[in-house]
Amino acid sequence: VMEDVSAKFVSQKISRTRWRPLPAAALQPPDVFATGSWDNEDNRISIWSAGDLGNAGLNGEYHGEPHLLCDIQHNGDVMDMQFLDQERIVVASSTGTVTIFRHHQNNQTLSANHRWEKAHYHVDQDTSCGGAACTGVVCNNPEIVTVGEDGRINLFRADQKDAVRTIDNADSSTLHAVTFLRTTEILTVNSIGQLKIWDLRQQRNEPSQIFSLAGDRVPLHCVDRHPNQQHIVATGGQDGMLSIWDIRQGTMPVSLLNAHEAEMWEVHFHPSDPDHLFTCSEDGSLWHWDASTNVSEKPSFLHQGGRSTAYLSHSTINQSVVSAWLSNDPTKDRMEITNLIPNQTLSVNSLDVLGPCLVYGTDAEAIYVNRQLFA
């Protein structure tokens, strides 16, 4: 498998990797991705070309390595990063600042396009050391939502100087990640094991729903929503567990799956093939969860239809559609889980999937591209 993966050593710890979105009608696989770094004296935002497919070997395996198109210095650790469109990237900093960088494709340069200084802060915005890390950002052009260590949620618009909306005390704990549920609703996860839904149309500063892990309140670090079935949400926690939630019912996860041996840093459903889920961890692993086994009598929770009425009635939970994720050993008959990095040692901080391509970045100061995910 590994010969499909090309590695690039970049002499900085990589905290985020993101594919540039493809134009709507594009048929080609993604080719350009961005990375952000952390814990270096000089952190950078970098734009890479995934490499030359013309270098495929005799068996069609891919040998080109990523090459740097351009980069720019970034103040503070890159905590999160999202493409706003083909040219602009929104970056969350440990200083609390949120910056939009523009990638000029004609001359391959990056420039800071707009900056919200100390969008996140402790005490007040004016104290010199008051910045609080901006931990998460999500975009739905032109809207940008950010969350932070300060428990604050900001709604920005790419073309406006001031925040459109700020929920100051949204959370009394650290917000670790945010994603859109719908265009007007967002999901956040926090450091006491809660998943919350916020309706941005409501003027009140309370979540419309709160879900929570039972018991130990393990911090949740990452969240993603199923692209087609918006009631299905996946989160990853400090303990490496994968939690699957059905936000239509109950306040607890539908299933908890033993996954990694340390913090799970990112979870992503494949955007166009969401029977596939990807997670990465501090323990140096990156898992591909494949619930697409096409044996008809094995419904996966990702498939609509069949027995989805039994979705969460706890009496019939073992016969329900989610049983693929609930059996003691989901791998046994219903799901394949593959660690795509057999012998990595340092943390895999970030991954992104698009089409047949996976990109991930590590504390081992390397970025990796797999262009044949489903080969």
Side-chain angles (χ1 to χ4, degrees):
V1 186
M2 294 306 281
E3 62 271 16
D4 294 335
V5 177
S6 54
K8 178 84 176 175
F9 291 92
V10 294
S11 58
Q12 40 188 353
K13 293 181 184 173
I14 298 298
S15 55
R16 282 296 182 259
T17 59
R18 296 288 181 253
W19 288 111
R20 181 173 77 191
L22 289 165
L27 296 171
Q28 78 275 25
D31 177 52
V32 171
F33 63 92
T35 60
S37 71
W38 80 288
D39 197 28
N40 308 287
E41 279 183 26
D42 176 27
N43 289 307
R44 306 195 81 74
I45 306 295
S46 308
I47 305 281
W48 306 83
S49 164
D52 178 13
L53 275 172
N55 292 349
L58 296 175
N59 306 325
E61 71 272 34
Y62 157 76
H63 291 305
E65 67 165 32
H67 58 267
L68 183 67
L69 296 174
C70 50
D71 65 353
I72 193 170
Q73 198 267 335
H74 178 266
N75 199 8
D77 292 341
V78 173
M79 303 294 290
D80 201 7
M81 181 165 77
Q82 287 272 313
F83 275 88
L84 181 66
D85 54 28
Q86 301 283 305
E87 293 178 342
R88 290 176 295 175
I89 311 165
V90 184
V91 181
S93 171
S94 58
T95 65
T97 295
V98 177
T99 310
I100 303 181
F101 290 95
R102 185 178 287 273
H103 173 211
H104 306 273
Q105 296 173 37
N106 50 357
N107 61 358
Q108 294 301 345
T109 56
L110 272 165
S111 63
N113 182 240
H114 189 82
R115 191 170 272 135
W116 290 283
E117 297 284 349
K118 290 211 185 123
H120 294 271
Y121 55 92
H122 293 300
V123 198
D124 68 271
Q125 260 167 313
D126 303 323
T127 37
S128 56
C129 58
C134 177
T135 50
V137 59
V138 65
C139 304
N140 184 17
N141 191 7
E143 300 196 312
I144 297 163
V145 176
T146 69
V147 297
E149 237 169 46
D150 53 359
R152 193 172 267 109
I153 298 174
N154 291 307
L155 172 61
F156 296 109
R157 273 205 192 93
D159 45 10
Q160 294 182 16
K161 190 167 74 72
D162 296 317
V164 178
R165 169 103 189 264
T166 293
I167 306 178
D168 271 327
N169 301 308
D171 211 299
S172 53
S173 60
T174 294
L175 289 168
H176 280 145
V178 59
T179 193
F180 276 100
L181 180 59
R182 301 180 180 81
T183 49
T184 54
E185 288 179 296
I186 56 167
L187 291 163
T188 60
V189 292
N190 70 12
S191 59
I192 56 169
Q194 293 173 322
L195 168 69
K196 297 183 183 180
I197 301 180
W198 304 82
D199 186 338
L200 298 173
R201 295 164 302 189
Q202 301 285 337
Q203 280 318 298
R204 22 178 232 122
N205 291 344
E206 275 88 50
S208 51
Q209 276 179 278
I210 301 179
F211 303 82
S212 141
L213 294 172
D216 291 344
R217 298 258 166 152
V218 175
L220 293 173
H221 285 298
C222 52
V223 58
D224 197 25
R225 186 209 80 204
H226 188 287
N228 316 335
Q229 292 174 256
Q230 299 183 332
H231 54 277
I232 298 176
V233 174
T235 63
Q238 175 117 9
D239 54 2
M241 295 281 277
L242 174 65
S243 306
I244 305 295
W245 313 70
D246 177 350
I247 60 168
R248 301 173 304 182
Q249 293 180 311
T251 56
M252 293 182 24
V254 179
S255 58
L256 289 170
L257 295 163
N258 275 310
H260 302 279
E261 287 164 28
E263 292 91 341
M264 184 188 297
W265 292 131
E266 290 206 303
V267 56
H268 288 293
F269 286 102
H270 191 286
S272 54
D273 200 349
D275 279 358
H276 298 268
L277 180 90
F278 298 84
T279 59
C280 63
S281 169
E282 179 72 28
D283 68 9
S285 62
L286 190 160
W287 286 14
H288 172 191
W289 306 69
D290 178 0
S292 70
T293 43
N294 44 16
V295 183
S296 54
E297 65 274 13
K298 294 193 264 182
S300 102
F301 87 96
L302 301 166
H303 279 304
Q304 204 123 35
R307 292 175 264 179
S308 57
T309 47
Y311 211 87
L312 230 170
S313 53
H314 281 275
S315 55
T316 59
I317 199 147
N318 288 334
Q319 294 82 49
S320 77
V321 183
V322 289
S323 53
W325 297 86
L326 290 177
S327 57
N328 295 334
D329 181 8
T331 48
K332 200 161 60 216
D333 54 359
R334 285 213 171 76
M335 188 168 349
E336 280 189 278
I337 303 172
T338 315
N339 179 11
L340 299 180
I341 318 174
N343 42 25
Q344 165 78 17
T345 52
L346 294 178
S347 178
V348 183
N349 296 321
S350 184
L351 71 95
D352 197 23
V353 280
L354 189 58
C357 301
L358 164 74
V359 59
Y360 59 95
T362 73
D363 274 352
E365 306 195 338
I367 47 179
Y368 299 84
V369 176
N370 178 341
R371 309 259 302 229
Q372 300 180 332
L373 253 189
F374 302 113

